[in-house]
């Protein structure tokens, strides 16, 4: 009698892989928007917008603002998808060291956000301060997004110990 071969066990299920891919796409779109904003605003002088462009006309400054808004939305979606990916991964895997690993990564992101905030405050150049502020905000957002997965992993570990 023919036997079917069992499906190989996958360390990452499709849902986790899909969410991770969507997370990468969202962060990629946010990074692309950042590059486009820098390229668009490279030719803008600080006083030329108010002197040469009538108020009712669309210009590169308005284009850069729209691109920046889209990029910020993509970054926010990426952070939410990152948190969802971690929660799905924690639900799928019951590794005993997972809570410690998540805690270490979250703590590293928090410390990185604090250090980036300190570095941003020490900058004299506005562009450099903005770059450090973006890094600080990204690390703090990712750390906050990883908290639900960290709590779920800790609760699962505690429940397994009590059994």
């Amino acid at each position: 009698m023919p036997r079917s071969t069992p499906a190989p066990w996958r360390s990452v299920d499709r849902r986790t892989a899909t969410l991770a891919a969507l997370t990468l796409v969202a962060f990629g779109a946010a990074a692309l928007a950042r590059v486009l904003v820098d390229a668009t605003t490279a030719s803008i002088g600080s006083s030329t917008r108010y002197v040469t462009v009538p108020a009712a006309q669309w210009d590169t400054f308005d284009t850069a603002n729209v691109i920046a808004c889209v990029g910020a939305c993509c970054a926010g979606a990426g952070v939410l998808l990152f948190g969802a990916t971690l929660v799905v991964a924690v639900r799928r895997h019951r590794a005993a060291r997972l809570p410690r690993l998540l805690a270490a990564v979250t703590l590293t992101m928090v410390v990185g956000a604090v250090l980036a905030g300190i570095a941003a405050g020490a900058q004299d150049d506005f562009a450099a301060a903005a770059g450090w502020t973006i890094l600080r905000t990204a690390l703090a957002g990712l750390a906050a997004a990883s908290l639900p997965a960290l709590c779920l992993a800790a609760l699962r570990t505690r429940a397994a110990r009590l059994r």
Side-chain angles (χ1 to χ4, degrees):
M1 178 168 228
R3 298 166 92 190
S4 63
T5 59
W9 186 79
R10 295 167 39 145
S11 63
V12 178
D13 62 338
R14 285 190 187 131
R15 183 178 294 159
T16 306
T18 302
L19 285 173
L22 288 173
T23 302
L24 290 176
V25 167
F27 283 135
L32 177 65
R34 174 73 178 158
V35 169
L36 289 174
V37 166
D38 287 343
T40 304
T41 58
S43 64
I44 297 176
S46 61
S47 62
T48 58
R49 176 183 175 13
Y50 300 105
V51 175
T52 61
V53 178
Q57 188 177 358
W58 188 270
D59 64 349
T60 55
F61 186 76
D62 297 323
T63 303
N65 280 337
V66 169
I67 294 170
C69 288
V70 170
C73 291
C74 288
V79 167
L80 293 175
L81 286 167
F82 175 76
T85 302
L86 287 179
V87 168
V88 168
V90 166
R91 288 183 62 206
R92 170 90 167 122
H93 300 286
R94 290 188 163 92
R97 289 178 275 173
L98 190 59
R100 288 189 186 112
L101 177 67
L102 282 173
V105 171
T106 302
L107 185 61
T108 303
M109 286 189 285
V110 168
V111 169
V114 169
L115 292 176
I118 292 170
Q123 298 297 318
D124 293 331
D125 182 28
F126 177 75
W132 283 107
T133 303
I134 290 170
L135 179 63
R136 179 204 64 200
T137 305
L139 287 173
L142 291 173
S146 66
L147 289 177
L150 178 62
C151 292
L152 179 63
L155 286 173
R156 283 190 162 203
T157 302
R158 184 170 185 256
R161 282 186 197 154
L162 293 176
R163 280 189 221 156

